[in-house]
Amino acid sequence: TVSDEVNGRIPLIVHVGDIGTGKSIEFARHAEHCGVAAISSVPPFYFKFTPDEIIRYYEDVSSSVDLPMIVYNIALAGLVDFTTIKRLSKIDNVKGIKYTATTHNEILRIKGEIGPEFSVYSGADEMALSGFAFGADGVIGSFYNVIPELFQIIWHATRENDLPRAREAQNKANIIIYYVLKNHFFDCIKAMLNWAGISAGTVLSPFYKLNKEDETRIKRELKSLVIKHDITECEVLNRIRETSC
């Protein structure tokens, strides 16, 4: 459905990670059938896998299709060390990494030792500026869905060497990020999208599902924050600002 709606206007990267390699391969082949630009996957999770097992997982999934693969370095599923990242980069179809860690010095190292053509996507939303400054090619995360305008400013400002403007946008983004992280993060993100007219549904158990009182309070507190800090760049936040709550 997404591929049909995008219709080739932008590159579509489909995440295929699952609890078993066979299922991930099934998803990868389905994504290829849909004509996507690339696939991505978290490392195998639940158990603690060895570097060799992680390498084999990515070899098996990436070789099952003729698509570029973006590997993941993310604490929730499993951080991989730099040696493993270098080994992963030697797999034929692996063309980049989502790097969700605060050790952004490694982004420079990846670009220096693996090569500038190996794509790095910074995954720490509150450190997008740092990621770009250290050479990230883009970002993959959560808040880019609800306040993308601030991150577009950071992207362009870093490329124009306008550090004060980039820092100001990152600070505004972080005000929203830190607030949402304290308020049932997953369903709060979905609620904000719903308020913007983008039907995002809600979370499944055991995640906490916001009730009407929660949503009223969050709207009221977000409205106060955007007015206090003069955050006017984001469509979602402007809609909240205009809401009577």
Side-chain angles (χ1 to χ4, degrees), residues 127-176:
M127 296 181 66
L129 169 55
S130 173
F132 290 143
F134 275 83
D137 299 282
V139 288
I140 299 174
S142 304
F143 288 89
Y144 313 131
N145 294 287
V146 289
I147 48 174
E149 298 90 345
L150 288 170
F151 295 101
Q152 289 172 336
I153 291 171
I154 297 168
W155 167 265
H156 291 295
T158 52
R159 270 139 188 78
E160 295 163 3
N161 294 315
D162 189 347
L163 183 58
R165 184 164 176 256
R167 188 187 292 122
E168 178 186 26
Q170 183 72 74
N171 183 57
K172 288 181 176 181
N174 287 359
I175 289 167
I176 304 302

mmCIF file of all heavy atoms in Angstrom, residues 127-176:
data_model
loop_
_atom_site.group_PDB
_atom_site.id
_atom_site.type_symbol
_atom_site.label_atom_id
_atom_site.label_comp_id
_atom_site.label_asym_id
_atom_site.label_seq_id
_atom_site.Cartn_x
_atom_site.Cartn_y
_atom_site.Cartn_z
ATOM 1 N N MET A 127 19.881 14.265 19.194
ATOM 2 C CA MET A 127 21.261 14.558 18.800
ATOM 3 C C MET A 127 21.399 14.652 17.284
ATOM 4 O O MET A 127 22.471 14.402 16.740
ATOM 5 C CB MET A 127 22.202 13.478 19.348
ATOM 6 C CG MET A 127 22.264 13.422 20.861
ATOM 7 S SD MET A 127 23.410 12.151 21.447
ATOM 8 C CE MET A 127 24.987 12.814 20.860
ATOM 9 N N ALA A 128 20.339 15.024 16.596
ATOM 10 C CA ALA A 128 20.405 15.123 15.134
ATOM 11 C C ALA A 128 21.503 16.083 14.692
ATOM 12 O O ALA A 128 22.250 15.806 13.751
ATOM 13 C CB ALA A 128 19.058 15.561 14.575
ATOM 14 N N LEU A 129 21.601 17.218 15.372
ATOM 15 C CA LEU A 129 22.635 18.201 15.040
ATOM 16 C C LEU A 129 24.021 17.584 15.155
ATOM 17 O O LEU A 129 24.866 17.745 14.267
ATOM 18 C CB LEU A 129 22.509 19.417 15.961
ATOM 19 C CG LEU A 129 23.667 20.425 15.943
ATOM 20 C CD1 LEU A 129 23.939 20.933 14.537
ATOM 21 C CD2 LEU A 129 23.358 21.595 16.888
ATOM 22 N N SER A 130 24.258 16.866 16.240
ATOM 23 C CA SER A 130 25.542 16.200 16.428
ATOM 24 C C SER A 130 25.787 15.176 15.327
ATOM 25 O O SER A 130 26.889 15.083 14.782
ATOM 26 C CB SER A 130 25.584 15.524 17.801
ATOM 27 O OG SER A 130 26.751 14.736 17.948
ATOM 28 N N GLY A 131 24.751 14.405 14.994
ATOM 29 C CA GLY A 131 24.903 13.408 13.937
ATOM 30 C C GLY A 131 25.315 14.031 12.622
ATOM 31 O O GLY A 131 26.253 13.573 11.968
ATOM 32 N N PHE A 132 24.636 15.111 12.229
ATOM 33 C CA PHE A 132 24.983 15.794 10.986
ATOM 34 C C PHE A 132 26.389 16.381 11.053
ATOM 35 O O PHE A 132 27.147 16.329 10.089
ATOM 36 C CB PHE A 132 23.973 16.894 10.682
ATOM 37 C CG PHE A 132 22.611 16.386 10.282
ATOM 38 C CD1 PHE A 132 21.463 17.041 10.694
ATOM 39 C CD2 PHE A 132 22.478 15.258 9.484
ATOM 40 C CE1 PHE A 132 20.199 16.583 10.322
ATOM 41 C CE2 PHE A 132 21.224 14.791 9.106
ATOM 42 C CZ PHE A 132 20.089 15.451 9.533
ATOM 43 N N ALA A 133 26.728 16.946 12.211
ATOM 44 C CA ALA A 133 28.046 17.560 12.367
ATOM 45 C C ALA A 133 29.165 16.525 12.231
ATOM 46 O O ALA A 133 30.261 16.841 11.757
ATOM 47 C CB ALA A 133 28.145 18.261 13.721
ATOM 48 N N PHE A 134 28.868 15.290 12.630
ATOM 49 C CA PHE A 134 29.874 14.224 12.545
ATOM 50 C C PHE A 134 29.814 13.473 11.218
ATOM 51 O O PHE A 134 30.541 12.507 11.036
ATOM 52 C CB PHE A 134 29.728 13.262 13.721
ATOM 53 C CG PHE A 134 30.440 13.714 14.960
ATOM 54 C CD1 PHE A 134 29.847 14.620 15.828
ATOM 55 C CD2 PHE A 134 31.713 13.258 15.255
ATOM 56 C CE1 PHE A 134 30.502 15.049 16.971
ATOM 57 C CE2 PHE A 134 32.379 13.676 16.391
ATOM 58 C CZ PHE A 134 31.773 14.579 17.257
ATOM 59 N N GLY A 135 28.935 13.889 10.311
ATOM 60 C CA GLY A 135 28.957 13.333 8.967
ATOM 61 C C GLY A 135 27.822 12.421 8.596
ATOM 62 O O GLY A 135 27.882 11.757 7.552
ATOM 63 N N ALA A 136 26.745 12.348 9.414
ATOM 64 C CA ALA A 136 25.605 11.507 9.061
ATOM 65 C C ALA A 136 24.966 11.986 7.762
ATOM 66 O O ALA A 136 24.881 13.188 7.504
ATOM 67 C CB ALA A 136 24.574 11.502 10.185
ATOM 68 N N ASP A 137 24.504 11.028 6.961
ATOM 69 C CA ASP A 137 23.874 11.346 5.678
ATOM 70 C C ASP A 137 22.394 11.662 5.837
ATOM 71 O O ASP A 137 21.780 12.250 4.942
ATOM 72 C CB ASP A 137 24.019 10.161 4.723
ATOM 73 C CG ASP A 137 25.478 9.837 4.454
ATOM 74 O OD1 ASP A 137 26.103 10.555 3.661
ATOM 75 O OD2 ASP A 137 25.997 8.874 5.060
ATOM 76 N N GLY A 138 21.805 11.242 6.947
ATOM 77 C CA GLY A 138 20.380 11.459 7.180
ATOM 78 C C GLY A 138 20.021 10.994 8.574
ATOM 79 O O GLY A 138 20.904 10.683 9.378
ATOM 80 N N VAL A 139 18.727 10.947 8.859
ATOM 81 C CA VAL A 139 18.260 10.545 10.180
ATOM 82 C C VAL A 139 17.089 9.574 10.042
ATOM 83 O O VAL A 139 16.298 9.673 9.108
ATOM 84 C CB VAL A 139 17.830 11.761 11.036
ATOM 85 C CG1 VAL A 139 19.033 12.573 11.474
ATOM 86 C CG2 VAL A 139 16.849 12.657 10.269
ATOM 87 N N ILE A 140 17.007 8.625 10.958
ATOM 88 C CA ILE A 140 15.868 7.717 11.064
ATOM 89 C C ILE A 140 15.468 7.707 12.530
ATOM 90 O O ILE A 140 16.298 7.432 13.392
ATOM 91 C CB ILE A 140 16.217 6.287 10.613
ATOM 92 C CG1 ILE A 140 16.663 6.264 9.146
ATOM 93 C CG2 ILE A 140 15.032 5.346 10.825
ATOM 94 C CD1 ILE A 140 17.161 4.904 8.670
ATOM 95 N N GLY A 141 14.206 8.038 12.808
ATOM 96 C CA GLY A 141 13.805 8.077 14.204
ATOM 97 C C GLY A 141 12.307 8.238 14.356
ATOM 98 O O GLY A 141 11.534 7.897 13.462
ATOM 99 N N SER A 142 11.897 8.792 15.488
ATOM 100 C CA SER A 142 10.485 8.877 15.843
ATOM 101 C C SER A 142 9.909 10.273 15.663
ATOM 102 O O SER A 142 8.865 10.455 15.018
ATOM 103 C CB SER A 142 10.287 8.441 17.297
ATOM 104 O OG SER A 142 10.804 7.144 17.502
ATOM 105 N N PHE A 143 10.594 11.268 16.213
ATOM 106 C CA PHE A 143 10.037 12.621 16.230
ATOM 107 C C PHE A 143 10.093 13.302 14.872
ATOM 108 O O PHE A 143 9.459 14.328 14.660
ATOM 109 C CB PHE A 143 10.737 13.469 17.296
ATOM 110 C CG PHE A 143 10.346 13.072 18.690
ATOM 111 C CD1 PHE A 143 11.046 12.090 19.362
ATOM 112 C CD2 PHE A 143 9.252 13.651 19.315
ATOM 113 C CE1 PHE A 143 10.676 11.692 20.646
ATOM 114 C CE2 PHE A 143 8.871 13.269 20.601
ATOM 115 C CZ PHE A 143 9.583 12.277 21.262
ATOM 116 N N TYR A 144 10.821 12.716 13.936
ATOM 117 C CA TYR A 144 10.845 13.253 12.575
ATOM 118 C C TYR A 144 9.459 13.142 11.939
ATOM 119 O O TYR A 144 9.165 13.817 10.951
ATOM 120 C CB TYR A 144 11.879 12.504 11.730
ATOM 121 C CG TYR A 144 13.220 12.346 12.423
ATOM 122 C CD1 TYR A 144 13.856 11.119 12.493
ATOM 123 C CD2 TYR A 144 13.823 13.440 13.041
ATOM 124 C CE1 TYR A 144 15.073 10.966 13.149
ATOM 125 C CE2 TYR A 144 15.030 13.299 13.702
ATOM 126 C CZ TYR A 144 15.654 12.066 13.754
ATOM 127 O OH TYR A 144 16.848 11.935 14.420
ATOM 128 N N ASN A 145 8.613 12.281 12.508
ATOM 129 C CA ASN A 145 7.247 12.131 12.009
ATOM 130 C C ASN A 145 6.336 13.270 12.450
ATOM 131 O O ASN A 145 5.387 13.616 11.735
ATOM 132 C CB ASN A 145 6.648 10.809 12.510
ATOM 133 C CG ASN A 145 7.337 9.597 11.932
ATOM 134 O OD1 ASN A 145 7.171 9.284 10.766
ATOM 135 N ND2 ASN A 145 8.124 8.913 12.748
ATOM 136 N N VAL A 146 6.578 13.836 13.626
ATOM 137 C CA VAL A 146 5.637 14.820 14.169
ATOM 138 C C VAL A 146 6.150 16.257 14.108
ATOM 139 O O VAL A 146 5.356 17.195 14.019
ATOM 140 C CB VAL A 146 5.226 14.471 15.625
ATOM 141 C CG1 VAL A 146 4.321 13.259 15.647
ATOM 142 C CG2 VAL A 146 6.436 14.261 16.513
ATOM 143 N N ILE A 147 7.467 16.438 14.184
ATOM 144 C CA ILE A 147 8.015 17.800 14.086
ATOM 145 C C ILE A 147 9.133 17.836 13.031
ATOM 146 O O ILE A 147 10.257 18.265 13.310
ATOM 147 C CB ILE A 147 8.529 18.316 15.460
ATOM 148 C CG1 ILE A 147 9.422 17.263 16.157
ATOM 149 C CG2 ILE A 147 7.366 18.699 16.357
ATOM 150 C CD1 ILE A 147 10.073 17.780 17.444
ATOM 151 N N PRO A 148 8.834 17.391 11.810
ATOM 152 C CA PRO A 148 9.884 17.306 10.788
ATOM 153 C C PRO A 148 10.479 18.654 10.422
ATOM 154 O O PRO A 148 11.647 18.734 10.025
ATOM 155 C CB PRO A 148 9.156 16.687 9.592
ATOM 156 C CG PRO A 148 7.723 17.074 9.779
ATOM 157 C CD PRO A 148 7.508 17.014 11.263
ATOM 158 N N GLU A 149 9.691 19.720 10.562
ATOM 159 C CA GLU A 149 10.158 21.041 10.134
ATOM 160 C C GLU A 149 11.420 21.470 10.878
ATOM 161 O O GLU A 149 12.327 22.066 10.293
ATOM 162 C CB GLU A 149 9.054 22.081 10.342
ATOM 163 C CG GLU A 149 7.782 21.815 9.533
ATOM 164 C CD GLU A 149 6.760 20.961 10.271
ATOM 165 O OE1 GLU A 149 7.132 20.324 11.290
ATOM 166 O OE2 GLU A 149 5.602 20.931 9.838
ATOM 167 N N LEU A 150 11.490 21.171 12.184
ATOM 168 C CA LEU A 150 12.665 21.564 12.967
ATOM 169 C C LEU A 150 13.905 20.808 12.502
ATOM 170 O O LEU A 150 15.007 21.371 12.449
ATOM 171 C CB LEU A 150 12.416 21.321 14.456
ATOM 172 C CG LEU A 150 11.430 22.294 15.113
ATOM 173 C CD1 LEU A 150 11.051 21.822 16.518
ATOM 174 C CD2 LEU A 150 12.021 23.701 15.175
ATOM 175 N N PHE A 151 13.731 19.549 12.133
ATOM 176 C CA PHE A 151 14.881 18.771 11.683
ATOM 177 C C PHE A 151 15.299 19.155 10.266
ATOM 178 O O PHE A 151 16.474 19.038 9.906
ATOM 179 C CB PHE A 151 14.580 17.280 11.808
ATOM 180 C CG PHE A 151 14.387 16.851 13.233
ATOM 181 C CD1 PHE A 151 13.116 16.665 13.754
ATOM 182 C CD2 PHE A 151 15.476 16.687 14.068
ATOM 183 C CE1 PHE A 151 12.934 16.302 15.076
ATOM 184 C CE2 PHE A 151 15.303 16.322 15.388
ATOM 185 C CZ PHE A 151 14.035 16.135 15.902
ATOM 186 N N GLN A 152 14.358 19.631 9.463
ATOM 187 C CA GLN A 152 14.723 20.174 8.148
ATOM 188 C C GLN A 152 15.588 21.423 8.321
ATOM 189 O O GLN A 152 16.554 21.637 7.584
ATOM 190 C CB GLN A 152 13.461 20.494 7.348
ATOM 191 C CG GLN A 152 12.723 19.259 6.869
ATOM 192 C CD GLN A 152 11.385 19.589 6.238
ATOM 193 O OE1 GLN A 152 10.781 20.626 6.508
ATOM 194 N NE2 GLN A 152 10.894 18.700 5.394
ATOM 195 N N ILE A 153 15.235 22.240 9.312
ATOM 196 C CA ILE A 153 16.038 23.429 9.598
ATOM 197 C C ILE A 153 17.452 23.018 10.010
ATOM 198 O O ILE A 153 18.451 23.586 9.535
ATOM 199 C CB ILE A 153 15.378 24.281 10.708
ATOM 200 C CG1 ILE A 153 14.085 24.915 10.193
ATOM 201 C CG2 ILE A 153 16.346 25.367 11.207
ATOM 202 C CD1 ILE A 153 13.258 25.590 11.270
ATOM 203 N N ILE A 154 17.554 22.014 10.888
ATOM 204 C CA ILE A 154 18.870 21.545 11.342
ATOM 205 C C ILE A 154 19.681 21.040 10.151
ATOM 206 O O ILE A 154 20.872 21.362 10.013
ATOM 207 C CB ILE A 154 18.713 20.442 12.402
ATOM 208 C CG1 ILE A 154 18.011 20.990 13.652
ATOM 209 C CG2 ILE A 154 20.069 19.851 12.785
ATOM 210 C CD1 ILE A 154 17.553 19.919 14.626
ATOM 211 N N TRP A 155 19.044 20.263 9.288
ATOM 212 C CA TRP A 155 19.714 19.711 8.104
ATOM 213 C C TRP A 155 20.296 20.822 7.232
ATOM 214 O O TRP A 155 21.476 20.806 6.883
ATOM 215 C CB TRP A 155 18.722 18.858 7.319
ATOM 216 C CG TRP A 155 19.149 18.474 5.929
ATOM 217 C CD1 TRP A 155 18.838 19.113 4.778
ATOM 218 C CD2 TRP A 155 19.976 17.361 5.558
ATOM 219 N NE1 TRP A 155 19.393 18.462 3.692
ATOM 220 C CE2 TRP A 155 20.100 17.387 4.146
ATOM 221 C CE3 TRP A 155 20.605 16.350 6.266
ATOM 222 C CZ2 TRP A 155 20.835 16.435 3.442
ATOM 223 C CZ3 TRP A 155 21.339 15.399 5.557
ATOM 224 C CH2 TRP A 155 21.454 15.443 4.177
ATOM 225 N N HIS A 156 19.458 21.788 6.878
ATOM 226 C CA HIS A 156 19.917 22.854 5.989
ATOM 227 C C HIS A 156 20.921 23.776 6.686
ATOM 228 O O HIS A 156 21.907 24.209 6.077
ATOM 229 C CB HIS A 156 18.727 23.665 5.476
ATOM 230 C CG HIS A 156 17.853 22.907 4.522
ATOM 231 N ND1 HIS A 156 18.293 22.479 3.280
ATOM 232 C CD2 HIS A 156 16.568 22.473 4.619
ATOM 233 C CE1 HIS A 156 17.332 21.827 2.660
ATOM 234 N NE2 HIS A 156 16.269 21.818 3.444
ATOM 235 N N ALA A 157 20.690 24.067 7.966
ATOM 236 C CA ALA A 157 21.588 24.974 8.690
ATOM 237 C C ALA A 157 22.986 24.388 8.829
ATOM 238 O O ALA A 157 23.981 25.111 8.707
ATOM 239 C CB ALA A 157 21.012 25.304 10.067
ATOM 240 N N THR A 158 23.086 23.084 9.079
ATOM 241 C CA THR A 158 24.416 22.481 9.201
ATOM 242 C C THR A 158 25.146 22.520 7.866
ATOM 243 O O THR A 158 26.360 22.715 7.828
ATOM 244 C CB THR A 158 24.330 21.027 9.705
ATOM 245 O OG1 THR A 158 23.418 20.280 8.897
ATOM 246 C CG2 THR A 158 23.884 20.982 11.154
ATOM 247 N N ARG A 159 24.421 22.368 6.779
ATOM 248 C CA ARG A 159 25.062 22.422 5.473
ATOM 249 C C ARG A 159 25.437 23.840 5.057
ATOM 250 O O ARG A 159 26.290 24.029 4.202
ATOM 251 C CB ARG A 159 24.146 21.777 4.419
ATOM 252 C CG ARG A 159 24.441 20.295 4.323
ATOM 253 C CD ARG A 159 23.251 19.414 4.195
ATOM 254 N NE ARG A 159 23.691 18.019 4.307
ATOM 255 C CZ ARG A 159 23.989 17.424 5.473
ATOM 256 N NH1 ARG A 159 23.884 18.100 6.608
ATOM 257 N NH2 ARG A 159 24.410 16.171 5.519
ATOM 258 N N GLU A 160 24.808 24.807 5.680
ATOM 259 C CA GLU A 160 25.144 26.206 5.430
ATOM 260 C C GLU A 160 26.090 26.753 6.507
ATOM 261 O O GLU A 160 26.351 27.958 6.548
ATOM 262 C CB GLU A 160 23.862 27.035 5.386
ATOM 263 C CG GLU A 160 22.954 26.665 4.213
ATOM 264 C CD GLU A 160 21.523 27.168 4.392
ATOM 265 O OE1 GLU A 160 21.258 27.863 5.412
ATOM 266 O OE2 GLU A 160 20.668 26.848 3.537
ATOM 267 N N ASN A 161 26.578 25.860 7.369
ATOM 268 C CA ASN A 161 27.479 26.240 8.476
ATOM 269 C C ASN A 161 26.872 27.305 9.380
ATOM 270 O O ASN A 161 27.588 28.145 9.932
ATOM 271 C CB ASN A 161 28.830 26.718 7.925
ATOM 272 C CG ASN A 161 29.600 25.611 7.240
ATOM 273 O OD1 ASN A 161 29.688 24.499 7.764
ATOM 274 N ND2 ASN A 161 30.144 25.890 6.070
ATOM 275 N N ASP A 162 25.553 27.254 9.543
ATOM 276 C CA ASP A 162 24.858 28.194 10.423
ATOM 277 C C ASP A 162 24.566 27.485 11.746
ATOM 278 O O ASP A 162 23.435 27.062 12.023
ATOM 279 C CB ASP A 162 23.554 28.660 9.764
ATOM 280 C CG ASP A 162 22.896 29.811 10.522
ATOM 281 O OD1 ASP A 162 23.307 30.087 11.667
ATOM 282 O OD2 ASP A 162 21.959 30.422 9.963
ATOM 283 N N LEU A 163 25.604 27.366 12.568
ATOM 284 C CA LEU A 163 25.484 26.609 13.813
ATOM 285 C C LEU A 163 24.472 27.202 14.788
ATOM 286 O O LEU A 163 23.686 26.451 15.386
ATOM 287 C CB LEU A 163 26.856 26.485 14.486
ATOM 288 C CG LEU A 163 26.909 25.645 15.774
ATOM 289 C CD1 LEU A 163 26.418 24.228 15.523
ATOM 290 C CD2 LEU A 163 28.326 25.633 16.336
ATOM 291 N N PRO A 164 24.417 28.523 14.976
ATOM 292 C CA PRO A 164 23.413 29.071 15.906
ATOM 293 C C PRO A 164 21.981 28.711 15.512
ATOM 294 O O PRO A 164 21.165 28.371 16.365
ATOM 295 C CB PRO A 164 23.650 30.578 15.827
ATOM 296 C CG PRO A 164 25.089 30.713 15.447
ATOM 297 C CD PRO A 164 25.335 29.578 14.499
ATOM 298 N N ARG A 165 21.675 28.773 14.211
ATOM 299 C CA ARG A 165 20.311 28.433 13.763
ATOM 300 C C ARG A 165 20.034 26.944 13.976
ATOM 301 O O ARG A 165 18.935 26.566 14.397
ATOM 302 C CB ARG A 165 20.159 28.798 12.281
ATOM 303 C CG ARG A 165 18.757 28.583 11.719
ATOM 304 C CD ARG A 165 18.602 29.315 10.402
ATOM 305 N NE ARG A 165 17.312 29.063 9.774
ATOM 306 C CZ ARG A 165 17.123 28.256 8.732
ATOM 307 N NH1 ARG A 165 18.162 27.644 8.173
ATOM 308 N NH2 ARG A 165 15.928 28.067 8.220
ATOM 309 N N ALA A 166 21.019 26.106 13.691
ATOM 310 C CA ALA A 166 20.844 24.670 13.887
ATOM 311 C C ALA A 166 20.658 24.346 15.367
ATOM 312 O O ALA A 166 19.808 23.533 15.739
ATOM 313 C CB ALA A 166 22.051 23.913 13.330
ATOM 314 N N ARG A 167 21.446 25.003 16.222
ATOM 315 C CA ARG A 167 21.356 24.752 17.658
ATOM 316 C C ARG A 167 20.012 25.204 18.207
ATOM 317 O O ARG A 167 19.413 24.532 19.056
ATOM 318 C CB ARG A 167 22.499 25.467 18.389
ATOM 319 C CG ARG A 167 22.595 25.097 19.867
ATOM 320 C CD ARG A 167 23.618 25.944 20.592
ATOM 321 N NE ARG A 167 24.972 25.652 20.137
ATOM 322 C CZ ARG A 167 25.804 26.553 19.626
ATOM 323 N NH1 ARG A 167 25.409 27.814 19.486
ATOM 324 N NH2 ARG A 167 27.022 26.206 19.268
ATOM 325 N N GLU A 168 19.516 26.322 17.729
ATOM 326 C CA GLU A 168 18.214 26.816 18.184
ATOM 327 C C GLU A 168 17.098 25.828 17.817
ATOM 328 O O GLU A 168 16.219 25.532 18.645
ATOM 329 C CB GLU A 168 17.910 28.172 17.548
ATOM 330 C CG GLU A 168 16.547 28.735 17.945
ATOM 331 C CD GLU A 168 16.184 30.008 17.189
ATOM 332 O OE1 GLU A 168 16.690 30.200 16.067
ATOM 333 O OE2 GLU A 168 15.390 30.798 17.721
ATOM 334 N N ALA A 169 17.146 25.295 16.593
ATOM 335 C CA ALA A 169 16.127 24.336 16.157
ATOM 336 C C ALA A 169 16.230 23.042 16.960
ATOM 337 O O ALA A 169 15.210 22.452 17.337
ATOM 338 C CB ALA A 169 16.271 24.060 14.665
ATOM 339 N N GLN A 170 17.453 22.584 17.216
ATOM 340 C CA GLN A 170 17.623 21.361 18.007
ATOM 341 C C GLN A 170 17.114 21.555 19.432
ATOM 342 O O GLN A 170 16.477 20.657 19.996
ATOM 343 C CB GLN A 170 19.097 20.946 18.039
ATOM 344 C CG GLN A 170 19.354 19.641 18.791
ATOM 345 C CD GLN A 170 18.864 18.423 18.040
ATOM 346 O OE1 GLN A 170 19.475 17.998 17.059
ATOM 347 N NE2 GLN A 170 17.769 17.831 18.492
ATOM 348 N N ASN A 171 17.359 22.729 19.996
ATOM 349 C CA ASN A 171 16.877 23.007 21.351
ATOM 350 C C ASN A 171 15.347 22.987 21.399
ATOM 351 O O ASN A 171 14.753 22.418 22.330
ATOM 352 C CB ASN A 171 17.395 24.362 21.829
ATOM 353 C CG ASN A 171 16.981 24.657 23.255
ATOM 354 O OD1 ASN A 171 17.276 23.899 24.167
ATOM 355 N ND2 ASN A 171 16.277 25.767 23.452
ATOM 356 N N LYS A 172 14.714 23.568 20.395
ATOM 357 C CA LYS A 172 13.250 23.555 20.349
ATOM 358 C C LYS A 172 12.730 22.126 20.201
ATOM 359 O O LYS A 172 11.751 21.736 20.858
ATOM 360 C CB LYS A 172 12.747 24.429 19.195
ATOM 361 C CG LYS A 172 12.908 25.921 19.425
ATOM 362 C CD LYS A 172 12.365 26.723 18.255
ATOM 363 C CE LYS A 172 12.428 28.218 18.522
ATOM 364 N NZ LYS A 172 11.876 29.016 17.402
ATOM 365 N N ALA A 173 13.376 21.362 19.340
ATOM 366 C CA ALA A 173 12.969 19.962 19.164
ATOM 367 C C ALA A 173 13.113 19.196 20.472
ATOM 368 O O ALA A 173 12.237 18.407 20.848
ATOM 369 C CB ALA A 173 13.803 19.306 18.068
ATOM 370 N N ASN A 174 14.204 19.445 21.183
ATOM 371 C CA ASN A 174 14.456 18.693 22.412
ATOM 372 C C ASN A 174 13.452 19.031 23.502
ATOM 373 O O ASN A 174 13.120 18.179 24.332
ATOM 374 C CB ASN A 174 15.881 18.942 22.901
ATOM 375 C CG ASN A 174 16.917 18.238 22.038
ATOM 376 O OD1 ASN A 174 16.568 17.550 21.090
ATOM 377 N ND2 ASN A 174 18.180 18.409 22.365
ATOM 378 N N ILE A 175 12.970 20.253 23.518
ATOM 379 C CA ILE A 175 11.929 20.624 24.484
ATOM 380 C C ILE A 175 10.715 19.718 24.299
ATOM 381 O O ILE A 175 10.139 19.212 25.270
ATOM 382 C CB ILE A 175 11.546 22.109 24.320
ATOM 383 C CG1 ILE A 175 12.681 23.005 24.825
ATOM 384 C CG2 ILE A 175 10.248 22.426 25.060
ATOM 385 C CD1 ILE A 175 12.541 24.461 24.434
ATOM 386 N N ILE A 176 10.334 19.495 23.046
ATOM 387 C CA ILE A 176 9.198 18.623 22.746
ATOM 388 C C ILE A 176 9.545 17.160 23.032
ATOM 389 O O ILE A 176 8.757 16.421 23.627
ATOM 390 C CB ILE A 176 8.747 18.797 21.288
ATOM 391 C CG1 ILE A 176 8.415 20.268 20.994
ATOM 392 C CG2 ILE A 176 7.573 17.892 20.971
ATOM 393 C CD1 ILE A 176 7.345 20.859 21.895
#
